[in-house]
Amino acid sequence: SGIAKAYGTTVEELASLNGLENPNLIRVGQVLKVPGGGSSPAPETAPEVTYQAYANGRWWAEITGYNEENTKGFAGVEGKALSGLYAKASKGVLRLRAHQIDGDRWLPWVENWEDYAGNLGKDIDLLQAELVDCPGCAVEYRASNPGRGYWAWIRNCDNEKPTLRYAGVPGKPIDRVQFRIVEV
């Protein structure tokens, strides 16, 4: 369905055009015909996301992905405010920016580990991220505040509701973040 959506067609039309008996079974590297001519390789699995947080005076270990089983796949230190965050995707461009409590301002967007989001020593309260140049995929992210669990997952900071365009709570520091890339 992701390939069909990317090419403005239907699953049925792609299956028919390519003689696929089971459109849910496509091999990595398989070349597909698409309406309008040309072809495109079948998609690989969703890219991985890697991220790292600065808290309590130092950069902590890089995290790759999100651990669904025990939610230990997080960047940061429980109870310690974040002031910097790196993130990158293995495919596409992951854009990231942070909101600084001191000065009440959004800091510039950074991309794929070129720089970190934040201002070391200044607490972050809000976070935005988006995955671009990666059709069929989006980044989801969430944050927690000291003494509280995680807030809801946010997808690509493009929600119609303004309060669902960022992770965090205005004026309250973030202590941990999680990222994952999902197929859409």
Side-chain angles (χ1 to χ4, degrees):
S1 64
I3 297 169
K5 184 177 179 181
Y7 287 94
T9 187
T10 65
V11 171
E12 294 77 19
E13 188 175 5
L14 278 177
S16 174
L17 186 62
N18 290 281
L20 300 174
E21 292 180 26
N22 180 356
N24 296 315
L25 182 60
I26 299 174
R27 296 179 314 277
V28 172
Q30 181 176 351
V31 176
L32 298 176
K33 295 175 189 172
V34 294
S39 61
S40 175
E44 298 176 17
T45 58
E48 289 186 336
V49 60
T50 302
Y51 50 106
Q52 181 181 24
Y54 186 91
N56 205 30
R58 72 181 191 98
W59 288 101
W60 294 86
E62 292 179 13
I63 304 297
T64 299
Y66 161 73
N67 185 332
E68 292 276 356
E69 294 176 20
N70 62 21
T71 67
K72 293 297 183 193
F74 66 85
V77 179
E78 192 168 356
K80 303 292 183 182
L82 298 184
S83 61
L85 189 63
Y86 277 108
K88 66 181 174 184
S90 61
K91 181 179 168 189
V93 175
L94 184 62
R95 297 182 69 224
L96 177 68
R97 74 177 181 165
H99 185 269
Q100 180 179 308
I101 295 175
D102 181 15
D104 188 24
R105 64 187 176 114
W106 282 101
L107 299 171
W109 287 96
V110 295
E111 296 181 351
N112 269 1
W113 224 276
E114 289 177 356
D115 201 356
Y116 64 88
N119 189 352
L120 302 187
K122 306 284 185 179
D123 295 349
I124 294 171
D125 61 345
L126 305 174
L127 175 66
Q128 287 187 315
E130 62 183 358
L131 182 63
V132 295
D133 298 332
C134 191
C137 294
V139 65
E140 290 186 338
Y141 54 101
R142 66 182 182 171
S144 71
N145 303 109
R148 190 197 186 285
Y150 288 96
W151 295 96
W153 288 100
I154 305 297
R155 181 176 290 177
N156 263 16
C157 72
D158 59 3
N159 197 295
E160 292 177 15
K161 295 177 81 172
T163 57
L164 294 179
R165 292 184 186 154
Y166 55 81
V169 177
K172 301 210 181 276
I174 291 173
D175 66 347
R176 293 171 290 159
V177 295
Q178 293 179 313
F179 287 86
R180 63 185 181 192
I181 295 180
V182 297
E183 294 180 15
V184 292

